[in-house]
Amino acid sequence: MPVTALVSAKSSGVTTAALALTLASKRPSLLAECDPAGGTIRAGFLQGQVDAGYGLYHLAAAERTGSDALANAFASHLWPMDEAGHRKLLPGLTDPAQAAALGRTWPALSEVMHVLAEEAGYDVFIDAGRLVLESGHLHTTLTPAPLLHQADLVLLVVRCTEQSLTLARHLADPLRTELAERGSGPEALGLLLIEDGPYRAHQVAEALKVPVLAALPFDRDTAAYFTNGGRPPRGYGRSPLLRHARTATGQFEATVSRRKIQQQYPPRAANPQLAGVLERLTSGGKRG
């Protein structure tokens, strides 16, 4: 199953989208809250149920002990988000000042998450927060760069508004270049559209030169529940946000599967004779 990282330029609904995808997945799923600016799910959606003794920060000390210690700490710091324990959360930082301690932890943590996805069949979603650039590259402290480099998919979350497009436009090219030079390739980048605003999917894709891989509706009631917790809204399980999120997880899996097949079986060199046949076939069979 894929490891998918979600990022944004600013306040585009990354955490809400990541929660929706994690809770809607048809498979066991994990949400790793890895925003260096600090996590919000602990105080919001979970309403303080999880104290500071759980979470991402504690993995830094474990990683310094060794890979086995990191794997054990990772498992012990996951919080179940449903009664069956199929939806798990790695709670984020409680203080942005803790982010500096994770610099050397990100690569090893990424490996653990990929093992969970590939060996245990989990959908893994990473809330990587707001992108921060330094000299045209991902900031090494304010962005969990290794998680993005190694992710199967990197989703730039964008709203259909002029403001969101303007902010995202400055990040799309540097992020694509980053993934080409240091990640799994520029094809790992896609857009997750939040349908809040006047622009359509094809307009957003054209403006940012990045394909839209999925879209989620602006579902005010469900989004408020994910942000603030409390009692779920009426019809929550059948809400538009969760229904579209369930479809989106399937689209992401299909996209990653296609990429892996293409990487395993690269296109053959073009044959001029075959190219001529294909040209005639695709021209509708018209004769000169």
Side-chain angles (χ1 to χ4, degrees):
M1 298 299 107
V3 174
T4 303
L6 286 75
V7 296
S8 74
K10 181 181 179 182
S11 304
S12 294
V14 168
T15 302
T16 295
L19 268 170
L21 293 168
T22 303
L23 295 172
S25 173
K26 298 177 183 178
R27 294 172 290 272
S29 56
L30 165 75
L31 171 53
E33 199 177 15
C34 297
D35 184 350
T40 59
I41 296 175
R42 191 192 309 260
F45 180 63
L46 295 180
Q47 295 195 312
Q49 296 177 50
V50 185
D51 62 31
Y54 275 88
L56 179 65
Y57 178 66
H58 300 278
L59 303 188
E63 186 275 331
R64 284 162 173 73
T65 303
S67 56
D68 287 345
L70 174 62
N72 290 331
F74 176 83
S76 65
H77 282 272
L78 300 183
W79 185 266
M81 291 194 291
D82 62 356
E83 292 183 4
H86 295 317
R87 320 286 180 215
K88 302 180 187 296
L89 170 72
L90 175 62
L93 301 178
T94 56
D95 182 348
Q98 298 169 336
L102 288 162
R104 56 170 283 178
T105 307
W106 295 129
L109 178 58
S110 178
E111 291 182 13
V112 172
M113 289 192 284
H114 277 274
V115 168
L116 187 66
E118 294 164 12
E119 303 297 330
Y122 269 68
D123 270 334
V124 177
F125 299 99
I126 301 170
D127 177 352
R130 179 181 177 180
L131 280 181
V132 180
L133 299 177
E134 182 180 42
S135 301
H137 291 287
L138 296 179
H139 196 288
T140 55
T141 300
L142 302 180
T143 301
L147 299 186
L148 303 187
H149 294 160
Q150 298 177 34
D152 296 307
L153 279 181
V154 177
L155 300 178
L156 182 58
V157 182
V158 182
R159 295 182 184 270
C160 302
T161 64
E162 184 64 38
Q163 182 189 55
S164 188
L165 283 181
T166 299
L167 293 171
R169 193 175 285 114
H170 299 293
L171 294 176
D173 282 343
L175 182 54
R176 187 187 295 106
T177 301
E178 180 90 17
L179 294 175
E181 295 177 352
R182 307 181 183 186
S184 62
E187 300 82 8
L189 179 61
L191 300 178
L192 176 58
L193 203 60
I194 306 300
E195 295 174 325
D196 174 27
Y199 291 105
R200 302 300 183 197
H202 71 278
Q203 294 173 307
V204 176
E206 182 179 351
L208 300 181
K209 303 297 186 288
V210 179
V212 174
L213 299 185
L216 298 178
F218 182 59
D219 182 347
R220 190 182 302 276
D221 291 341
T222 306
Y225 170 57
F226 286 159
T227 300
N228 303 312
R231 185 185 297 274
R234 189 172 218 172
Y236 157 73
R238 301 180 304 280
S239 66
L241 180 54
L242 285 184
R243 285 191 286 106
H244 283 74
R246 192 169 296 114
T247 300
T249 60
Q251 293 170 323
F252 300 152
E253 182 185 1
T255 298
V256 170
S257 295
R258 285 195 299 271
R259 283 197 70 220
K260 289 183 177 179
I261 291 172
Q262 290 168 354
Q263 290 167 349
Q264 186 175 1
Y265 302 104
R268 296 183 180 181
N271 181 314
Q273 292 179 331
L274 290 178
V277 173
L278 289 173
E279 183 179 358
R280 288 195 294 273
L281 288 173
T282 55
S283 67
K286 295 179 181 179
R287 299 176 182 269

